[in-house]
């Protein structure tokens, strides 16, 4: 055998084995998943995939980690162009965007009514993924919020954990001023270019950018008004460390710079990633806005898994989600304690992980607390224009800071929003 | 004469010639003409995602009433009205200085000034972000030198955010324009300058009355390309403001607005196409005006 024919043989063999490999891979079903946040969604999906592979050895998972904005952009581009090859089998979508995708790309997502027992999930989650009586997707985590604070800093300033129970934002700002005066630490880090804080505050006041009929609800929205005023007061009173962008925001509290952070429970994984701060943190209820009917509970984000209608592995993907996310209670205990994921499967809440005390938070039963607050989160209609409204709010916040009366600012937000939501 | 015309016509009907250019023509048709025509037809449609309906002039009416569009247009115009002249002047001066035969380490300076425009966009945006942070090096230097008392909120104050974008694009593109001037300067006959020097013309007048007029075609070229570049400004703003054009829409450009309308907001491809045609129109008008201003007068 001369050299040339040997090479040929090798090439043929390589080609053949490659095609065999790809054929078996296709038959076994590789499920591709797009999601964001390596500490949270990605890690949780890997765990879920490993559990499914244990009982279905032929199924493999390809979990792709993007930034959230990239997932959304790629999804939107692929859906718009109609090139379904580029799409994954399962994609993670944040709750605020669910209706937007379902309504503007009809037929793109696989309906799962009848395949999944939705009665086991928190009703608000199911409602978010239902269009015209058809339900899509697998409800995943809740974004129930809490006030995470540094015990040590608050103690130095003379406050006990009880002092943070069920307070208003005004009280929170007063405490912040004391903390700043006595410890030199700012009370919170705030990115005024991000609408998240406004949404947390507004939802605790039982309102949203839209009323239940989907009409704009800005100028008479007392909760929104209070939310804007509270943020500007916090900045003016000097208790805020301004942040530009997410990385900077996270660095604010992970570095030990600021004394507290008010956000969704999903941040727990990020906070606990700082092992040296163990025992120094505590959790209290979300402050409420100073209006009648406001509660000490709110929500930020939360997301769900959706299967693409075009997926070759559609049935397998649905079966996988159903088996792990709708039935595996032990899975929920694990992702709760390891990642701080408060799932929306109601049965999972009776698990013993919810009763456990967490030494990182000074031995408090934090999961039980979040579970209780979750039940109090006021349901609101998120509608389909969260990004547009966020932009309108952040664009007009600086003028409120510069002394424009709040009613004029609300009018400006309303006017900007009106042209954006056609 | 007649045979010459026949010759060119023959060439016109020559199949072989057409065969050679066909691949290029097909590619141009698919990737240039089709998108142009498709976006033009898109611009009379409106709707959410794939649910498009014919809207006629609806998008133009919406454009007219859209405060965000006007903000984006205002920002874009501000950027090129302020930034392009600054950059062109700086590039001209730098080119004139670096063309000086007595200057040592010319190659080093030229490379250093040209380098920004080949650096990675994302890397430089991240670098700028950390340099211009509230506790970043720029504020610290300005405070040490005593120019400012309190740190400037480069990224959170609407005015300073605009200034930062202007600084960023000037830093990136000045060297690029300078290279064009340097190349043009090399082509100017040295005897012109010598004659002027012998006549006792001071150096600044030589720059003003010899260099600039002789570089006019190149200046026209760089002004037009810079104007087009600024009208399409996207990357810098996107990376420095996390894709939002903040604070308070102060750095929102038309391109970023188009991006938001397609990928961040409820996708409305029709309206986004309409906004993109505003850029096309502005590029056409401004280029025409610049050609007109720089025309040869009899």
């Amino acid at each position: 055998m001369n050299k040339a024919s040997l090479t040929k043989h090798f090439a043929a063999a390589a080609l053949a084995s490659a095609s065999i490999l790809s054929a078996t891979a296709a038959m076994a079903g590789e499920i591709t998943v797009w999601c964001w946040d390596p500490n949270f969604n990605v890690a949780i999906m890997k765990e879920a995939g490993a559990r499914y592979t244990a009982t279905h050895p032929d199924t493999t998972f390809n979990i792709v980690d993007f930034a959230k904005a990239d997932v959304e952009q790629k999804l939107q581009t692929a859906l718009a162009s109609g090139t379904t090859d580029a799409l994954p089998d399962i994609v993670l979508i944040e709750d605020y965007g669910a209706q937007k995708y379902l309504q503007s790309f009809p037929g793109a997502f696989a309906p799962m009514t009848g395949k999944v027992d939705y009665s086991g999930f928190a009703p608000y989650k199911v409602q978010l993924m239902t269009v015209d009586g058809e339900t899509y997707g697998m409800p995943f985590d809740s974004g129930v919020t809490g006030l995470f604070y540094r015990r040590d800093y608050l103690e130095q300033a003379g406050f006990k954990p009880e002092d943070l129970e069920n307070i208003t934002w005004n009280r929170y700002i007063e405490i912040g001023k004391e903390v700043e005066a006595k410890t030199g630490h700012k009370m919170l880090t705030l990115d005024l270019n991000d609408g998240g804080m406004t949404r947390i505050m507004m939802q605790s006041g039982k309102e949203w950018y839209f009323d239940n009929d989907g009409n704009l609800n800005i100028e008479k929205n007392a909760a929104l008004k209070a939310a804007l005023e509270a943020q500007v007061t916090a900045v003016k009173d000097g208790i805020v460390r301004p942040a530009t962008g997410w990385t900077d925001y996270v660095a604010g509290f992970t570095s030990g710079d600021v004394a507290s952070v008010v956000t969704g429970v999903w941040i727990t994984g990020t906070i606990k990633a700082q092992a040296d701060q163990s025992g120094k943190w505590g959790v209290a209820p979300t402050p409420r806005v100073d209006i009648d009917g406001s509660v000490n509970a709110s929500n930020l984000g939360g997301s769900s898994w959706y299967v693409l209608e075009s997926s070759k592995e559609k049935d397998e993907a649905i079966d996988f989600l159903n088996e792990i996310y709708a039935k595996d209670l032990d899975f929920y205990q694990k992702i709760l304690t390891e990642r701080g994921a408060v799932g929306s499967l109601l049965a999972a809440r009776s698990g013993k992980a919810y009763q456990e005390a967490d030494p990182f938070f000074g031995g408090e039963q934090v999961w039980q607390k979040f579970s209780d607050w979750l039940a109090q989160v006021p349901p609101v209609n998120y509608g389909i224009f969260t990004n547009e409204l966020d932009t309108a709010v952040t664009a007009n916040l600086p003028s409120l800071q510069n002394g424009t009366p709040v009613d004029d600012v609300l009018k400006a937000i309303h006017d900007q929003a009106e042209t954006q939501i056609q | 004469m007649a045979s010459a015309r026949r010759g060119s016509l023959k060439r016109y009907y020559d199949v072989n010639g057409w065969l050679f250019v066909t691949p290029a023509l097909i590619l141009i048709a698919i990737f240039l003409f089709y998108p142009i025509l498709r976006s033009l037809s898109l611009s009379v449609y409106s709707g959410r995602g794939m649910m498009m309906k014919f809207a006629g002039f609806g998008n133009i009416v919406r454009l007219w009433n859209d405060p965000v569009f006007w903000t984006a247009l205002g920002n874009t115009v501000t950027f090129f009205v302020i930034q392009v002249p600054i950059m062109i002047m700086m590039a001209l001066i730098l080119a004139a200085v670096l063309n000086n035969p007595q200057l040592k380490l010319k190659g080093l300076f030229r490379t250093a000034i040209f380098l920004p425009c080949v650096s990675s966009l994302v890397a430089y945006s991240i670098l700028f972000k950390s340099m211009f942070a509230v506790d970043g090096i720029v504020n610290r230097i300005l405070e040490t030198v005593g120019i400012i008392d309190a740190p400037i909120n480069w990224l959170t104050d609407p005015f300073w955010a605009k200034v930062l974008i202007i600084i960023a694009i000037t830093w990136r593109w000045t060297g690029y324009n300078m290279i064009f001037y340097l190349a043009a300067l090399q082509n100017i006959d040295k005897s012109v300058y010598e004659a002027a020097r012998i006549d006792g013309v001071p150096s600044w007048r030589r720059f003003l009355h010899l260099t600039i007029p002789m570089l006019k075609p190149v200046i026209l070229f760089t002004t037009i390309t810079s104007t087009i570049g600024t009208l399409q400004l996207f990357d810098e703003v996107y990376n420095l403001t996390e894709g939002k054009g903040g604070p308070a829409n102060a750095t929102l450009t038309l391109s970023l607005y188009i991006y938001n309308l397609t990928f961040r907001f409820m996708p409305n491809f029709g309206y986004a196409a309409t906004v993109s045609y505003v850029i096309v129109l502005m590029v056409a008008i401004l280029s025409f005006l610049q050609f007109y201003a720089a025309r040869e007068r009899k």
Side-chain angles (χ1 to χ4, degrees), chain A residues 76 100 104 387-388 420, chain B residues 50 257 262 264-266:
Chain A
Q76 209 151 319
K100 169 174 103 171
S104 55
N387 284 335
E388 283 85 342
Q420 297 287 305
Chain B
M50 305 308 279
Y257 190 43
T262 5
R264 220 159 68 77
F265 296 166
M266 172 63 81

Side-chain angles (χ1 to χ4, degrees), chain A residues 73 76-77 79-80 100 103-106 193-194 244-246 384-385 387-388 391 394-395 398 416 419-420 422, chain B residues 48-51 62 65-68 155-156 158 242 244 246-249 257 259 262-267 269:
Chain A
Q73 187 214 316
Q76 209 151 319
T77 325
L79 288 177
K100 169 174 103 171
Q103 288 186 27
S104 55
F105 298 104
N193 225 354
D194 185 292
T244 51
W246 181 251
I384 50 176
F385 294 112
N387 284 335
E388 283 85 342
T391 311
T394 52
Q416 174 171 337
T419 54
Q420 297 287 305
Q422 296 180 15
Chain B
R48 296 168 186 174
M50 305 308 279
M51 318 284 280
R62 177 174 172 184
N65 296 317
D66 183 354
V68 183
L155 287 156
T156 50
E242 312 234 326
K244 289 185 177 159
N249 286 345
Y257 190 43
Y259 176 87
T262 5
F263 299 120
R264 220 159 68 77
F265 296 166
M266 172 63 81
F269 305 107

Side-chain angles (χ1 to χ4, degrees), chain A residues 370-422:
Chain A
F370 277 110
S371 182
D372 294 345
W373 298 330
L374 182 60
Q376 297 169 35
V377 175
V380 291
N381 173 19
Y382 285 147
I384 50 176
F385 294 112
T386 304
N387 284 335
E388 283 85 342
L389 266 296
D390 262 8
T391 311
V393 167
T394 52
N396 289 291
L397 252 185
S399 70
L400 183 63
Q401 261 178 296
N402 294 335
T404 312
V406 67
D407 288 318
D408 296 355
V409 173
L410 288 172
K411 172 101 178 44
I413 294 172
H414 176 90
D415 290 348
Q416 174 171 337
E418 216 169 20
T419 54
Q420 297 287 305
I421 62 169
Q422 296 180 15

Side-chain angles (χ1 to χ4, degrees), chain A residues 45-330:
Chain A
M45 201 46 161
K46 279 186 179 152
E47 168 70 24
R51 278 170 185 256
Y52 191 74
T53 308
T55 49
H56 303 74
D58 288 344
T59 308
T60 53
F61 288 86
N62 173 26
I63 294 152
V64 195
D65 176 16
F66 292 116
K68 185 173 137 237
D70 294 342
V71 173
E72 290 171 352
Q73 187 214 316
K74 280 175 91 72
L75 180 65
Q76 209 151 319
T77 325
L79 288 177
S81 67
T83 21
T84 49
D85 294 357
L87 288 166
D89 303 300
I90 298 176
V91 66
L92 185 67
I93 296 179
E94 198 179 26
D95 288 346
Y96 302 121
Q99 285 287 328
K100 169 174 103 171
Y101 287 110
L102 292 174
Q103 288 186 27
S104 55
F105 298 104
F109 299 96
M112 282 153 70
T113 323
K115 292 178 186 160
V116 174
D117 178 16
Y118 285 110
S119 66
F121 291 93
Y124 88 99
K125 272 305 252 206
V126 181
Q127 197 188 320
L128 283 168
M129 47 176 65
T130 304
V131 175
D132 299 333
E134 189 76 69
T135 308
Y136 304 80
M138 173 60 67
F140 177 40
D141 74 314
S142 141
V144 57
T145 57
L147 160 57
F148 299 81
Y149 62 92
R150 288 288 297 252
R151 276 166 195 283
D152 45 346
Y153 297 167
L154 268 292
E155 225 163 73
Q156 265 179 52
F159 293 101
K160 291 191 224 48
E162 300 88 80
D163 296 327
L164 294 174
E165 291 290 320
N166 301 320
I167 56 173
T168 63
W169 277 102
N170 285 347
R171 176 69 189 139
Y172 175 86
I173 292 168
E174 279 169 30
I175 294 174
K177 285 197 269 190
E178 294 261 320
V179 170
E180 148 95 289
K182 289 187 180 145
T183 69
H185 289 285
K186 299 281 184 195
M187 189 65 171
L188 87 160
T189 175
L190 190 57
D191 183 353
L192 285 180
N193 225 354
D194 185 292
M197 187 53 100
T198 307
R199 280 184 257 127
I200 295 177
M201 291 175 162
M202 182 167 52
Q203 192 165 353
S204 76
K206 299 183 177 167
E207 300 213 61
W208 196 253
Y209 297 130
F210 302 92
D211 62 21
N212 283 330
D213 302 324
N215 302 311
L216 260 188
N217 172 30
I218 304 292
E219 287 177 273
K220 296 217 165 72
N221 188 333
L224 175 59
K225 186 173 170 175
L228 300 183
E229 282 176 327
Q231 288 176 78
V232 170
T233 312
V235 172
K236 283 201 174 134
D237 287 353
I239 66 158
V240 167
R241 171 197 187 275
T244 51
W246 181 251
T247 320
D248 194 27
Y249 173 80
V250 170
F253 52 86
T254 50
S255 66
D257 221 7
V258 300
S260 74
V261 51
V262 179
T263 192
V265 61
W266 36 258
I267 203 75
T268 313
T270 310
I271 292 179
K272 284 170 82 169
Q274 321 298 317
D276 56 319
Q277 293 174 12
S278 180
K280 292 181 181 165
W281 284 86
V283 181
T286 315
R288 64 176 189 275
V289 282
D290 281 273
I291 58 167
D292 284 342
S294 179
V295 293
N296 284 95
S298 191
N299 184 75
L300 179 68
S303 45
S304 297
W305 304 101
Y306 291 81
V307 176
L308 275 299
E309 181 67 38
S310 59
S311 158
K312 287 193 189 75
E313 262 67 61
K314 190 173 85 177
D315 295 329
E316 209 168 347
I318 294 174
D319 184 59
F320 153 66
L321 289 175
N322 209 7
E323 198 159 317
I324 306 295
Y325 286 91
K327 290 173 186 160
D328 191 341
L329 299 185
D330 183 53

Side-chain angles (χ1 to χ4, degrees), chain A residues 7-61:
Chain A
T7 327
K8 241 185 224 166
H9 271 280
F10 268 122
L15 205 69
S17 54
S19 52
I20 288 168
L21 269 180
S22 64
T24 46
M27 267 159 60
E30 187 189 56
I31 297 179
T32 303
V33 185
W34 286 358
C35 52
W36 61 87
D37 196 346
N39 268 326
F40 193 77
N41 300 311
V42 179
I44 288 168
M45 201 46 161
K46 279 186 179 152
E47 168 70 24
R51 278 170 185 256
Y52 191 74
T53 308
T55 49
H56 303 74
D58 288 344
T59 308
T60 53
F61 288 86

